[in-house]
């Protein structure tokens, strides 16, 4: 077991949406957190739009109730 991370907010500027930047950025963040010993990363979806949910799913997050998460252990 190690520390957990919680993503509070994340958005991609409208001018570059659909360019794949969101998933690439999130994958890089998750990989970096894993290298630093983080064992899980969470994001609570709240009232997010469907395209926001898709970004997290494309980045390897799995839906877990009201949250999306990536586990390393």
């Amino acid at each position: 077991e190690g520390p957990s991370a919680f993503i509070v907010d994340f958005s991609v500027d409208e001018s570059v949406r659909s360019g794949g930047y969101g998933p690439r950025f999130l994958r890089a963040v998750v990989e970096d957190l894993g290298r630093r010993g983080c064992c899980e990363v969470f994001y609570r979806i709240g009232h997010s739009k469907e395209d926001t949910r898709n970004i997290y799913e494309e980045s390897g997050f799995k839906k877990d109730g009201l949250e999306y998460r990536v586990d390393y252990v």
Side-chain angles (χ1 to χ4, degrees), residues 6-61:
F6 188 83
I7 297 172
V8 176
D9 193 16
F10 173 73
S11 64
V12 176
D13 190 272
E14 287 185 36
S15 66
V16 293
R17 287 187 186 158
S18 300
Y21 296 106
R24 282 195 305 233
F25 176 76
L26 284 175
R27 281 192 296 270
V29 167
V30 167
E31 288 172 9
D32 185 58
L33 289 168
R35 284 191 298 272
R36 294 170 184 257
C38 186
C39 66
E40 56 191 356
V41 182
F42 295 94
Y43 172 70
R44 184 169 296 257
I45 58 172
H47 297 288
S48 297
K49 296 178 182 177
E50 189 65 31
D51 58 342
T52 302
R53 293 178 183 153
N54 291 338
I55 288 172
Y56 282 91
E57 291 172 357
E58 290 173 23
S59 302
F61 284 71

